[in-house]
């Protein structure tokens, strides 16, 4: 099987009713990201940060994968598929994708605020002040906040350099370091970008654009991929 690597962003989750941070306005569900998605915000007002992510979790519990998520999962019948997502929801997993790399962390996980190796699965949507790790420190969302390192970039790069086909779905390629993954694709690797808007800057690679929303764009791209 050929190796297909897909980089997904906010546009694929938006069709399932989940909003995520977009670089254009700096807001996420009406909150300035500096209030809810930075280490400084956590130090300044952990109650607000926990409340914000509790609401995102509650919302995500009821969200269902859309056609774009499902098509990516279905492509595992024809390709060796790795999904690299900038999203923190679990919609790819709900759709049936079996190899998902979350660059920016996972909404349904918490981790120790003193030892990032201590990660716990959240069975419910609530994470509250007083919920402690085994070392006695407050648990925080297992989310990569602005200003923090992106530890899953290395595994993502390893997948990308071995790709036979590379897809970009529902992302404006404005958030780094994720946007830089395109530069790691092999020279022979075709790149397809599904998004209603083309990135404003030149990517430095030949790209086939499908200017459409994720669900209908992926239906069109599936037909292309299964013909090649």
């Amino acid at each position: 099987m050929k190796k297909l690597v897909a980089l997904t962003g906010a546009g694929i989750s938006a069709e399932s009713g989940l909003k995520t941070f977009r670089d254009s306005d700096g807001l996420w569900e009406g909150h300035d990201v500096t209030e809810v998605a930075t280490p400084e915000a956590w130090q300044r007002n952990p109650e607000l940060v926990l409340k914000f992510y509790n609401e995102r979790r509650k919302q995500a519990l009821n969200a269902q994968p859309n056609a774009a998520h499902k098509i990516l999962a279905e492509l595992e019948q024809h390709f060796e598929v790795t999904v690299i997502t900038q999203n923190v929801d679990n919609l790819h997993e709900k759709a049936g994708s079996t190899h998902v790399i979350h660059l920016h962390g996972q909404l349904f996980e918490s981790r120790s605020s003193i030892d990032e190796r201590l990660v716990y699965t959240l069975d419910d949507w609530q994470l509250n002040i007083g919920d402690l790790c085994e070392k006695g420190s407050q648990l925080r969302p297992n989310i990569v906040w602005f200003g923090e390192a992106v530890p899953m970039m290395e595994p993502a790069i390893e997948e990308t350099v071995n790709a036979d086909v590379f897809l970009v779905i529902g992302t404006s390629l404005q958030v780094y370091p994720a946007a830089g993954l395109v530069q790691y694709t092999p020279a022979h690797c075709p790149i397809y970008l599904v998004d209603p808007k083309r990135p404003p800057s030149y990517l430095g690679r030949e790209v086939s654009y499908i200017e459409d929303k994720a669900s209908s764009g992926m239906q069109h791209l599936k037909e292309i991929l299964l013909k090649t």
Side-chain angles (χ1 to χ4, degrees):
M1 282 188 175
K2 285 186 175 181
K3 185 175 184 62
L4 185 152
V5 178
L7 172 65
T8 69
I12 197 169
S13 290
E15 288 190 67
S16 293
L18 296 182
K19 294 180 183 176
T20 59
F21 170 69
R22 279 286 199 178
D23 205 30
S24 55
D25 61 7
L27 297 178
W28 185 358
E29 292 284 9
H31 287 265
D32 189 305
V33 294
T34 60
E35 295 177 353
V36 293
T38 65
E40 293 77 17
W42 175 248
Q43 291 174 358
R44 187 169 58 244
N45 194 343
E47 291 90 347
L48 174 64
V49 173
L50 289 176
K51 181 182 178 185
F52 175 80
Y53 286 99
N54 282 346
E55 289 299 317
R56 304 289 71 72
R57 224 173 278 117
K58 192 175 181 181
Q59 190 182 50
L61 275 175
N62 299 315
Q64 296 301 317
N66 60 59
H69 296 104
K70 292 173 184 175
I71 290 168
L72 271 177
E74 289 165 10
L75 285 172
E76 292 190 10
Q77 298 169 31
H78 308 279
F79 298 89
E80 178 192 338
V81 179
T82 297
V83 177
I84 303 168
T85 187
Q86 299 174 74
N87 302 330
V88 296
D89 59 62
N90 58 356
L91 291 174
H92 284 298
E93 289 88 346
K94 279 186 178 180
S97 288
T98 60
H99 189 198
V100 183
I101 295 174
H102 285 267
L103 286 178
H104 298 153
Q106 298 195 52
L107 194 56
F108 288 93
E109 288 182 350
S110 65
R111 70 171 169 90
S112 167
S113 51
I114 60 169
D115 186 346
E116 62 186 38
R117 295 169 299 177
L118 296 177
V119 175
Y120 307 87
T121 300
L122 286 167
D123 298 320
D124 195 10
W125 58 272
Q126 293 190 77
L127 181 63
N128 300 310
I129 295 292
D131 293 339
L132 308 178
C133 77
E134 61 206 64
K135 292 186 175 181
S137 80
Q138 173 65 43
L139 289 171
R140 54 161 276 184
N142 189 27
I143 303 292
V144 177
W145 288 327
F146 290 90
E148 293 185 323
V150 183
M152 294 307 292
M153 268 304 289
E154 198 168 313
I157 290 169
E158 288 176 13
E159 295 290 338
T160 301
V161 297
N162 292 305
D164 295 306
V165 184
F166 192 80
L167 314 183
V168 181
I169 308 157
T171 172
S172 57
L173 291 176
Q174 297 300 295
V175 178
Y176 283 84
L181 283 172
V182 173
Q183 307 306 326
Y184 289 93
T185 52
H188 68 272
C189 176
I191 301 170
Y192 297 90
L193 192 150
V194 179
D195 199 72
K197 294 181 180 179
R198 293 193 183 201
S201 56
Y202 176 60
L203 297 177
R205 290 293 310 274
E206 184 177 333
V207 177
S208 299
Y209 293 98
I210 298 175
E211 294 184 51
D212 200 351
K213 62 183 182 180
S215 55
S216 48
M218 277 304 295
Q219 185 60 54
H220 179 49
L221 182 53
K222 177 185 175 183
E223 294 167 9
I224 294 171
L225 293 172
L226 296 186
K227 284 179 184 174
T228 55

